Structure formats: structure tokens, C-alpha cells
Amino acid sequence: MTAVLQASEPALADLPSQVLHEVFGYPAFRGAQREIVEHVVAGGDALVLMPTGGGKSLCYQVPAIVRQRAGRGVTVVVSPLIALMHDQVGALDEIGVKAAFLNSTLDGDEARRVERDLLAGRLTLLYAAPERILTPRFLAMMESLAERGQLGLFAIDEAHCVSQWGHDFREEYLGLSALHERFPGVPRLALTATADDHTRADIIERLQLQAARLFVASFDRPNIRYTIVEKDEPRKQLLRFIRDEHEGDAGIVYCQTRKRVDETAAWLAAEGMTALPYHAGLDAALRRQHQDRFLREEGVVMVATIAFGMGIDKPDVRFVAHLDLPKNIESYYQETGRGGRDGLPADAWMSYGLADVVNQRRMIDESEAEEEFKRLQRSKLDALLALAEAHDCRRVRLLAYFGQASTPCGNCDNCLHPPATWDATEAARKALSCIYRFRQSPHGPRSFGAGHLIDVLRGKATDKVAQYHHEQLSTWGIGADVSESQWRLVLRQLIALGHLQAEGEYNTLALTESAREVLRGAVPVQLRVPAETKARGKTARVRGGGAAGKPPPLPLDEAAGARFNALKAWRAEVAREHNLPAYVVFHDATLAEMARECPDTLDALAGVSGVGATKLERYGAEILRVLGAPA
Ligand code: ADP
Ligand code: ZN
């Protein structure tokens, strides 16, 4: 089938670049986009793994336009995110692409108009939720289109929703295998940012994509700066971070519980920020309202549980902060990936402490899941902890997790301010060997928690020590030179590095396989300097780095700055008229380039990235006018 298509339409292959320039106004495809687009345009099935913010939408929007132009009909986009369809369709309308959505927010008349447009071949893209697509009525409409060769492509967005392994599982996604069974000739493109093997295998099996080509894009998001700080007074640390680096910027703050979301949002608001809460406990109308304000207003900070964010494609989110540890690296990467989609600098900031480790472990232990699932969750948590404890490049570790090799990035906290480390090999050996002695001891239980271990290491005579005769151990008192809180840090890091494991109800400590190597002295243990001895110095350094080291998101001189502001004011007007978020009209990055280059002809304006033919026609004259007479 592929061959027939290519032979009969040799020009089809050139169309993607043309569409990219003309319709989207972008100079070039990013990374794997070109290959993906060409494969799908030629009628192939594909599964695309690309990080959040990597540019997945273009991978089906360009083929949709190309296939429609070639007379192959409409692209049906399956998405679970009803609340966002309106803006997605609005964005396509702005660039002159005929699109519509079908969901429960439309009344009967509106829905019938969309159906008529669909059947008459007037649409290039149609967005719908899976439950809508699988209704007999919709299936019948697709049958009718398919019979006439007018069903061009299925794009299945957020494809990981089909997998029970992730937290985004949607029952209705399971029914999507019907698409392949009923319309075997229509190519399918499944897209997700979730890259782990389990989810990937699930997607392939459940959506019957065994014959699809797999595209794994680079997972790097170079404009995002990763910072993980030791939890001290988390809210104050957060406030300082926002004030110092992101005053007036839009951002997301993730917390683990609803209560913490409410408290943190109220607290930030009391500090004078526009901060709104978002979690599943708020009623739907209020959630919707907060989401709208986040998308439409400038400088809103959304404080949220992980219930918020999937599909949010606001390009100018300048920071994503985690007050609590996420579940695993996939979640962390997906959540932080919501920052800086426009390619401008953005921050991923997280505070992390011992309680996070204990809480996350407990949540896994106490969940009702099967043992195999728990084991997987634990190993994923371990990988995240290793990232949090790392004193080398965070990005190298993140990318390695997704199977990608790289070199130190120069744009994470550890690269920018290499942390002071100390040689903890001896301390680590002492702790591990003490745990080993517990096991050998003829008295009492064979494993203990951190508290008792530290008592024994420091030679503290407690009832428990007396009860089990631990003062007789050869490790009794060998760590008296290290303070109790330092020991806790050593243990936390040993746990995080995987040399120690906390087990059972009481978090008793057990040696892992790799501990033996440490015990033998074969593995040097290099640890971060404990927080208590560096807290002041570090705060000062981060401040200093913030002022000197961070490039401003939009480097513009004064005149260009004035033009930029004039353009933003104009954009706000247009957005209000069209009932769309401002970024749908133009991204900040596009306005900044206009302000910097200050084109004085339509031709020159067309050269700005993000200005396609339709926007040039609609807004070109206006923009030139605004540029010629900045306030
Ligand atoms: P994802 O769905 O993978 O999270 P998006 O499709 O929302 O990412 O794309 C992220 C941003 O990058 C969007 O604002 C989009 O306009 C922009 N973008 C994508 N591809 C390109 C490209 N080839 N050139 C310029 N900008 C692009
Ligand atoms: Zn780095």
C-alpha cells in the first residue's frame, strides 16, 4: 500500500516541509519529527515516544494536512483531554487549518454541524475522546468516510492511557483496538511521553501496533535547568526561588496531597502571588476556572497535585517546582517537561528530604497492588532517589534513565555549582559493617532501624542496646566522631544509592548486593556535604548564580523591549476577541523575535519563526503598524 501511494504521488514526499513553512511558519523540523511525518504521510503505522514539550502535535498535524491535501480525508485525533480540545482547535483555526472537536461540551445543534462538516469532507482534523469515537453512531460515520477513502489517519494521543501500569490509565482506551480491526487500511500514529518498557509493551499489545515503526526521540530538553535542593523549610525555599528567579512568571508547583496544595496556594497568595489550587477534590467548575485562568492570564502560579497538567500545552511556563518527591523519574520528567515548551529557559526545581523517601516507600508498601507491581515501583523510586542524591550532572542521569548517553550539560545545579563532597567511604563501611554484625549477633532480632543503628555506632547506652547486648559488638561506638544528623544523611544516601534497603513495617535496614563491595572498600563513597554545614553558603551561592548565571528569557534592548510590550498588548486584544489564550495567537518567542528583528515588510515578517501564511495574511499589516509605532 505504501509503495502504491508513493509511486502515484511522487510530490507527496516534498509536502511536509512545505506545510511546515507555509502553515506553521517554522523553518525546520525538530529532531525525529521529519522522519515520523514522512513515515506517516506514506501510510505507515508508528509509535512515537517523545518527551513532554518535544513537539508531538506536529507529528500528526503535518501529516493530517498533507493527507487531506492529497485527497485522503480527515485525521481523527483521539485524546482524553476534553477540557483542552477547544483551545487546540482554536490554535489550528488561527493558522487556517479546518479542525473541530466532538465532546460533551457541545449542544446537539453544534454537534450535528460538526458531524455534517465531517461527512462532507470539510475537516482536516477532528478531536474526540475515546468514548465518543467508540459509539455506534461515530463508528458508522467513520465507516461511511472509509468507504469513500476519506478516513486519512488515526492519531492516538497520550497513548500510555491504555496501560494499567501508569497512573493515567483510562478504561475507554482499551476499546481503541477496534480501530485497527474495523479500519485496517487507515494508518495509526500513537504518541506518548512515557518511555518505560512496560508501558511501551502494553501500548503495542493493546493497540495492536506490533507492525508499527517505533520512533524514540531524544529525551533531552536542553532549555530546562534542573535543580534539586535539600529540604529545609520547603515553603520558604520555594518562595525565595520564585521571588529570586521567577517574579511574575507563570509556573506550576506540584504537591503530594490536596491539603498541601490548598495550604501552599493560600500561603503564596498571602505573599502576594496569583496562586491557584488545583486538585481532584475541588469541584469541576472551579477546576476548569482555575485552569482557564492559568492558560489565559499571565503570571499565574498553579499549585496542584498530579491531577493537573496532562495535555496542558501552555508554552511559556517558566518553572515547575516540586515540593514533594514525585513517584518516579517518568513522572518527574513528564511534570518538569511542562516548563519551557517555547524553547526559552525554564527551571525545574525540587526540594527533597528524608521524609520524602520514607513516605514514598511507605505508600508503595501499604498499597494494595500485587507484589510484582510493588517491586517495579520500588526500583523506579530508587532510580529517582539516586538522581536526587547525585552530585554529578542531573541531565546525564535523567537521559541515561531513558537509555540515552550524554555528557555533562552545564545547565543543572550540579554542573553550575559542583557540590562540596566528602569521602564517606569509611563512615559508610562502619555503618554497613554494623548492620552486618547485627545479623551475626546471637541476641534478639537480626535487623534494626536507623535510630538504633546510629545509637550503636555512636556508642550510646540505651535500653535496647542493653537488651540485645549490642555494646559487645565490635562496631560499638566506632562512629562517635560523626553527629547523629550526619549519620542520618549518610544512611539516607546509602539507601538512595542502593547499598542499603529499608524493609518492613519498621524500616529496618538490610544490606544489598552492592553493599558487599562497599564493605570490602572496593567502592569509594563520595557524598554531598551535609546540609547543616553548608546551608548558609549555599543559599548565598544560589542567589549569586541566579543574578549572574541565568540568561534572561528574552534578551531585548530597551527599544526592542518597548516593541515587545506593544506587541503583547496587541496580542491580548486579539486573544480576547477570539476567546483564546494569548499564546495561541503568537508565542512570546515569536513576538520577541519580531521585536528584535523589527521587520518592515510582509516578506521580512514572514521570515520570523512562528509566522505562517494565514497569520501573515490575517495579522501582518497590523503587526507592521504596531512595530512602526511602539508605545
Ligand atoms: P508535546 O505535545 O510533545 O508535549 P508540543 O507538540 O506541544 O509538545 O510542542 C511543544 C512546542 O514546540 C509547541 O509550542 C510547538 O509549537 C513547538 N514546536 C514543535 N515543533 C516545532 C518545530 N519544528 N519548530 C518550532 N517549534 C516547534
Ligand atoms: Zn548538568
Side-chain angles (χ1 to χ4, degrees), residues 26 313 315 341-342 571 582-592:
Y26 291 142
D313 56 1
R341 279 167 192 251
D342 51 12
R571 180 182 67 178
Y583 61 79
V584 166
V585 181
F586 283 113
H587 287 183
D588 279 1
T590 303
L591 293 191

Side-chain angles (χ1 to χ4, degrees), residues 76-90 99-115 118 123 125-135 137-138 141 170 172 288 291:
V76 174
V77 185
V78 186
S79 162
L81 304 159
I82 291 177
L84 297 164
M85 289 179 187
H86 172 269
D87 289 353
Q88 282 164 339
V89 166
F101 61 85
L102 269 181
N103 66 33
S104 49
T105 67
L106 299 184
D107 64 31
D109 284 348
E110 290 169 320
R112 266 185 296 281
R113 179 148 26 92
V114 171
E115 288 174 6
L118 173 69
L123 297 178
L125 291 112
L126 179 80
Y127 288 79
E131 58 272 21
R132 167 75 64 150
I133 282 169
L134 298 169
T135 57
R137 181 181 174 86
F138 196 81
M141 284 189 283
R170 312 258 168 151
E172 319 81 57
R288 177 75 221 238
Q291 176 170 306

